[in-house]
Amino acid sequence: MAMKMKAAVFVEPGRIVLDDKPIPDVGPLDALMRVTTTTICGTDVHILKGEYPVARGLTVGHEPVGVIEKLGSAVKGYREGQRVIAGAITPSGWSNACLCGSGSQDGAGTAHGWKPLGGWRLGNTIDGCQAEYVLVPDAMVNLAPVPDELSDEQVLMCPDIMSTGFGGAERGGIRIGDTVAVFAQGPIGLCATAGAKLSGATMVIGVDRLASRLEIARRMGADHVIDSSRVDPVEEILRLTGGRGVDVAIEALGIQATFEACLRVLRPGGTLSSLGVYSGDLTIPLGAFAAGLGDHQIVTTLCPGGKERMRRLMAVIQAGRVDLGPMVTHRFKLDDIERAYDLFGHQRDGVLKVAITP
């Protein structure tokens, strides 16, 4: 096996370049995955722009589909050559946070076992998967075998955006018969829309400024779509609900305007489920917050990871409950990843998600 591999490396703000790096050594609990398909996430663009800090020289990317190349000496239950995915979040499985069911906040190695965002390692605190190979830590916790009949592209959304979007619906506690609004229909918002529908919501309202995204939102399960560049979405949602408001409002962008709009359309006792990555302080409007007496819940979610989560998401796709195929709008070779970043980072040509292959 060649000792070097190609990898997309963070150099400095504004520069992610394709470079040669050594193929990683495999520790006892790790697995080396040969990456067959990966993608670029909005978070990677935050890294590229310097809005989310990572170490210089880090390989970016956290959405791997591939084949087990080599197993650590202590890893059981897998075989080399097996098709697998790993979640964007790769918890240790043994920290206090993991044992409380909070794997995304995994504090393995800390005295108390908790760390904000600690489960997000790939392309954050360790080398990620926009490369020919990626080292998956704690392989027995994180590797999920891919059913033979599912293609790489069919499961490409499972590691991150499907897990995150569905997580927003789940954390919102959506019940059968609920009315749900989803603000922003980017990849995460579209998955939240699909998740709301699957959770039993009987009126799902998708909000965005782009007609092409609203069209896909309908395919993902939105009963109503609102073009927020044309109408005030808060007024329109209150009109659609007869002034009642929604049971659950999902925020999938990460800016003050959508966070605030979510609160303004919530019925008393409703839940604001926030998925956005915010880059500044948020303020809460007094009236919408009912002076702190409206029985509202505000919950946040970081993508759930681990192999059981991945198995469940692949089961949803295998059963035909949701088709995320329309999300992949562009395809690139790893050699062209800088061009892929340019397209995705500038959101040109109706891009939703790109598939990167060797």
Side-chain angles (χ1 to χ4, degrees):
M1 187 164 69
M3 299 317 290
K4 291 272 186 170
M5 64 175 186
K6 291 181 287 195
V9 174
F10 175 75
V11 180
E12 62 190 1
R15 279 187 75 206
I16 286 176
V17 301
L18 195 66
D19 204 357
D20 284 337
K21 287 183 91 158
I23 292 175
D25 292 327
V26 183
L29 291 170
D30 306 329
L32 185 67
M33 185 197 292
R34 176 170 57 80
V35 180
T36 53
T37 309
T38 186
T39 182
I40 299 173
C41 176
T43 312
D44 299 324
V45 176
H46 284 301
I47 290 170
L48 171 62
K49 291 178 176 173
E51 294 164 354
Y52 183 91
V54 298
R56 286 163 194 256
L58 182 87
T59 302
V60 286
H62 50 262
E63 298 161 277
V65 184
V67 174
I68 297 172
E69 183 78 17
K70 190 176 179 193
L71 290 169
S73 57
V75 178
K76 294 180 173 58
Y78 298 89
R79 55 180 171 75
E80 290 171 4
Q82 193 171 15
R83 284 182 69 219
V84 288
I85 62 172
I89 304 298
T90 52
S92 66
W94 53 262
S95 70
N96 288 9
C98 287
L99 294 171
C100 280
S102 298
S104 304
Q105 315 301 329
D106 177 20
T110 65
H112 45 72
W114 297 83
K115 184 184 171 198
L117 282 61
W120 176 29
R121 295 190 274 180
L122 293 176
N124 181 24
T125 56
I126 63 174
D127 278 343
C129 62
Q130 289 169 17
E132 291 181 279
Y133 297 92
V134 62
L135 191 73
V136 178
D138 297 299
M140 288 189 290
V141 181
N142 291 303
L143 288 183
V146 178
D148 289 340
E149 61 266 38
L150 295 182
S151 70
D152 278 18
E153 282 194 11
Q154 281 179 288
V155 299
L156 182 57
M157 304 306 149
C158 296
D160 185 356
I161 69 161
M162 184 183 181
S163 190
T164 302
F166 278 29
E170 290 161 320
R171 288 272 289 151
I174 294 172
R175 296 190 298 178
I176 293 168
D178 270 356
T179 296
V180 178
V182 183
F183 280 81
Q185 297 293 311
I188 298 271
L190 288 167
C191 288
T193 296
K197 172 92 167 179
L198 270 179
S199 300
T202 46
M203 186 195 284
V204 180
I205 305 163
V207 183
D208 203 275
R209 304 177 68 86
L210 298 174
S212 58
R213 294 193 167 189
L214 293 174
E215 191 50 49
I216 296 178
R218 282 196 188 278
R219 288 168 68 178
M220 292 295 154
D223 302 288
H224 300 273
V225 295
I226 296 172
D227 182 342
S228 56
S229 69
R230 291 166 176 258
V231 296
D232 178 341
V234 173
E235 285 179 12
E236 187 62 11
I237 287 167
L238 291 174
R239 186 188 71 74
L240 281 170
T241 59
R244 170 186 183 273
V246 300
D247 300 288
V248 180
I250 300 175
E251 198 290 331
L253 189 58
I255 61 171
Q256 174 70 34
T258 46
F259 177 84
E260 193 170 310
C262 279
L263 205 51
R264 291 188 187 281
V265 300
L266 265 190
R267 66 158 168 82
T271 300
L272 192 169
S273 182
S274 170
L275 290 172
V277 180
Y278 302 94
S279 48
D281 289 347
L282 291 171
T283 57
I284 290 179
L286 182 69
F289 194 50
L293 304 174
D295 286 330
H296 298 112
Q297 287 193 83
I298 299 176
V299 297
T300 65
T301 301
L302 171 61
C303 178
K307 67 183 179 187
E308 168 62 3
R309 176 68 170 180
M310 296 302 109
R311 183 197 66 76
R312 285 172 177 269
L313 296 175
M314 287 190 288
V316 171
I317 291 168
Q318 197 174 5
R321 292 290 193 272
V322 66
D323 174 17
L324 300 179
M327 297 270 196
V328 180
T329 53
H330 295 73
R331 292 161 185 84
F332 291 88
K333 293 292 181 193
L334 182 60
D335 284 338
D336 290 330
I337 195 157
E338 292 172 43
R339 211 157 56 82
Y341 264 100
D342 187 56
L343 173 91
F344 186 78
H346 292 98
Q347 289 291 299
R348 283 200 306 271
D349 194 23
V351 66
L352 273 174
K353 290 291 273 187
V354 299
I356 311 284
T357 53

Coordinates of all heavy atoms in Angstrom, one line a residue, residues 5 36-37 71 73 76 121 144 170 217 258 274 282 314 318 330-331 354:
M5 N -1.2 9.5 0.8 CA -2.5 9.6 0.3 C -2.8 11.1 0.0 O -2.2 12.0 0.6 CB -3.5 9.1 1.3 CG -3.6 9.9 2.6 SD -4.9 9.3 3.7 CE -4.9 10.6 5.0
T36 N -14.8 5.9 -0.3 CA -15.3 5.7 -1.6 C -16.2 6.9 -2.0 O -16.3 7.2 -3.2 CB -16.1 4.4 -1.8 OG1 -17.1 4.3 -0.8 CG2 -15.1 3.2 -1.7
T37 N -16.9 7.5 -1.1 CA -17.7 8.7 -1.3 C -17.7 9.6 -0.1 O -17.8 9.1 1.0 CB -19.1 8.4 -1.7 OG1 -19.1 7.4 -2.8 CG2 -19.8 9.6 -2.2
L71 N -8.1 -3.2 10.1 CA -8.7 -3.2 11.4 C -7.7 -3.2 12.5 O -6.6 -3.9 12.4 CB -9.6 -4.4 11.6 CG -10.9 -4.5 10.8 CD1 -11.6 -5.8 10.9 CD2 -11.9 -3.4 11.2
S73 N -6.1 -4.2 16.1 CA -5.9 -5.5 16.7 C -7.0 -5.9 17.6 O -7.2 -7.1 17.8 CB -4.5 -5.6 17.4 OG -4.4 -4.6 18.4
K76 N -13.4 -6.2 17.0 CA -14.1 -7.5 16.7 C -15.4 -7.2 16.0 O -16.0 -6.1 16.2 CB -14.3 -8.3 18.0 CG -13.1 -8.8 18.7 CD -13.4 -9.5 20.0 CE -12.2 -10.1 20.6 NZ -11.1 -9.1 20.9
R121 N -15.1 14.7 16.2 CA -13.7 14.6 16.1 C -13.2 14.7 14.7 O -12.3 15.4 14.4 CB -13.2 13.3 16.7 CG -13.5 13.2 18.3 CD -12.8 12.0 18.9 NE -13.6 10.8 18.9 CZ -13.2 9.7 19.4 NH1 -12.0 9.6 20.0 NH2 -14.0 8.6 19.4
A144 N -20.7 1.4 10.9 CA -22.1 0.7 10.6 C -22.0 0.1 9.2 O -21.8 0.8 8.2 CB -23.2 1.8 10.7
E170 N -36.7 15.1 16.2 CA -36.9 14.3 17.4 C -36.8 15.1 18.6 O -37.6 14.9 19.6 CB -35.8 13.2 17.3 CG -36.0 12.1 16.2 CD -34.7 11.4 15.9 OE1 -33.6 12.0 15.9 OE2 -34.8 10.2 15.7
A217 N -38.4 21.0 -0.9 CA -39.1 20.9 0.4 C -40.5 20.1 0.2 O -40.8 19.3 1.1 CB -39.3 22.2 1.0
T258 N -34.0 34.1 11.8 CA -34.8 32.9 11.8 C -35.1 32.4 13.2 O -36.1 31.9 13.5 CB -34.1 31.8 11.0 OG1 -32.7 31.8 11.3 CG2 -34.2 32.1 9.5
S274 N -33.6 24.1 17.8 CA -32.6 24.9 17.1 C -31.5 23.9 16.6 O -30.9 23.2 17.3 CB -32.0 25.9 18.0 OG -30.9 26.5 17.4
L282 N -27.4 35.7 20.6 CA -28.8 35.8 20.2 C -29.6 36.6 21.3 O -29.3 36.6 22.4 CB -29.4 34.4 20.2 CG -29.0 33.4 19.1 CD1 -29.5 32.0 19.4 CD2 -29.4 33.9 17.8
M314 N -30.1 4.3 8.0 CA -30.0 3.5 6.8 C -31.3 2.6 6.7 O -31.8 2.4 5.5 CB -28.8 2.6 6.8 CG -27.5 3.5 6.5 SD -26.0 2.5 6.2 CE -25.6 1.8 7.8
Q318 N -33.6 2.3 3.4 CA -33.8 0.9 2.9 C -35.3 0.6 2.8 O -35.8 0.0 1.8 CB -33.1 -0.1 3.8 CG -32.9 -1.4 3.1 CD -32.1 -2.4 4.0 OE1 -31.8 -2.0 5.2 NE2 -31.8 -3.5 3.5
H330 N -24.4 17.7 -7.4 CA -23.1 17.9 -8.2 C -22.2 16.8 -7.8 O -22.2 16.3 -6.6 CB -22.5 19.2 -8.0 CG -23.3 20.4 -8.5 ND1 -24.4 20.8 -7.9 CD2 -23.1 21.2 -9.5 CE1 -24.9 21.8 -8.5 NE2 -24.2 22.1 -9.6
R331 N -21.3 16.3 -8.7 CA -20.3 15.3 -8.4 C -18.9 15.7 -8.9 O -18.8 16.3 -9.9 CB -20.7 14.0 -9.2 CG -22.0 13.4 -8.6 CD -22.7 12.4 -9.5 NE -24.0 12.0 -8.9 CZ -25.1 12.6 -9.0 NH1 -25.2 13.8 -9.7 NH2 -26.2 12.2 -8.4
V354 N -22.7 18.0 -2.7 CA -21.8 17.4 -3.7 C -21.3 16.1 -3.3 O -21.1 15.8 -2.1 CB -20.6 18.4 -4.0 CG1 -21.0 19.8 -4.4 CG2 -19.7 18.5 -2.7

